Amino acid sequence: LDFLGRSDFQVKIRGFRVELGEIETALARVDGVSQAVVVAHGDGSGHHRLVGYVTATRPLDSAEVRAALAGTLPAYMVPAAVVVLDALPLTANGKVERRALPAPAPAPDTGAAGREPATPAEAALCAVYAEVLGVEKVAADADFFALGGDSVLSLRLVNGARRAGWAITGRQVFQHPVVSALAAVAEPLTGTEKSPEPAPTEPAPLVSLDATQLDQLESLWRRRR
């Protein structure tokens, strides 16, 4: 037997089963998109990310398309990158040749070079960006998705910002992926609004019971039955 793969376009991304056709339908509804195809690209280490390919009837950029999708799809279904093509590659039968789609461009740098943070919100978000993306430093004009961020990491970004004292939403991350732009819409949180750290758990103390107490517990248990 030769296993040739699935006959449909269902993939598993970060533990979620995703129907690529649903994302393609949502992409096709975005204003300015003419055709849309979505594939799951692997990095060779078992990690996959969604990449959308579109043809457009007007100038489009990746951030604009992702922001539109964030309003209609759950975060894990929003492609980490959107590539705008002049035309989709086709087979001799007129179907989209998915294997001929170009790989998305890697992040050009780590985001360290650029403007230093000028406000408390920018400083906090630069630190959270660096933590979530696994880099040493992020500049105030760095773009979250250009540095390899995706829909799943955006959830960690939202939680990290809240721990740092700033409230942002997942949709705002897609609409304002640059640190300075996101800092401009971030709301400061009070101490009671921040996500509390989980309280350490301690083992329950051992309690010694005498024979009379054991009889009482057994009697109570029997009555409740």
Side-chain angles (χ1 to χ4, degrees):
L1 295 177
D2 292 328
F3 179 68
L4 303 179
R6 298 181 64 98
S7 61
D8 58 9
F9 295 112
Q10 186 183 92
V11 297
K12 194 171 186 179
I13 301 292
R14 300 291 181 86
F16 295 96
R17 292 201 176 275
V18 176
E19 289 286 353
L20 298 182
E22 294 183 23
I23 307 175
E24 292 172 352
T25 299
L27 263 176
R29 292 174 179 165
V30 175
D31 180 41
V33 173
S34 176
Q35 295 176 293
V37 174
V38 179
V39 299
H41 269 285
D43 59 4
S45 62
H47 173 70
H48 289 77
R49 62 173 180 151
L50 296 173
V51 179
Y53 297 87
V54 301
T55 59
T57 58
R58 63 176 179 83
L60 283 176
D61 61 70
S62 179
E64 177 186 357
V65 177
R66 288 196 303 266
L69 290 178
T72 59
L73 294 175
Y76 64 87
M77 292 181 68
V78 177
V82 175
V83 181
V84 181
L85 301 175
D86 294 332
L88 297 177
L90 302 177
T91 66
N93 296 327
K95 297 182 179 180
V96 176
E97 180 55 86
R98 295 173 181 266
R99 291 175 296 182
L101 292 168
D109 54 47
T110 62
R115 181 173 67 81
E116 293 292 325
T119 66
E122 288 185 357
L125 290 180
C126 281
V128 177
Y129 269 51
E131 177 187 358
V132 171
L133 295 170
V135 296
E136 182 177 349
K137 181 181 178 181
V138 170
D141 51 6
D143 186 298
F144 180 70
F145 296 104
L147 296 179
D150 56 26
S151 56
V152 175
L153 291 179
S154 70
L155 301 180
R156 294 180 54 191
L157 180 64
V158 171
N159 291 332
R162 175 168 288 274
R163 290 194 301 271
W166 296 91
I168 58 175
T169 66
R171 183 164 187 171
Q172 287 175 328
V173 175
F174 284 91
Q175 292 174 331
H176 312 286
V178 175
V179 173
S180 57
L182 189 59
V185 298
E187 296 288 340
L189 296 174
T190 64
T192 57
E193 292 175 320
K194 296 180 182 179
S195 298
E197 294 294 332
T201 58
E202 297 181 358
L206 296 177
V207 178
S208 298
L209 300 177
D210 56 29
T212 301
Q213 291 172 319
L214 288 173
D215 289 340
Q216 291 174 344
L217 286 175
E218 183 179 3
S219 176
L220 178 61
W221 176 75
R222 292 182 182 277
R223 289 200 302 271
R224 289 180 176 272
R225 291 186 63 189

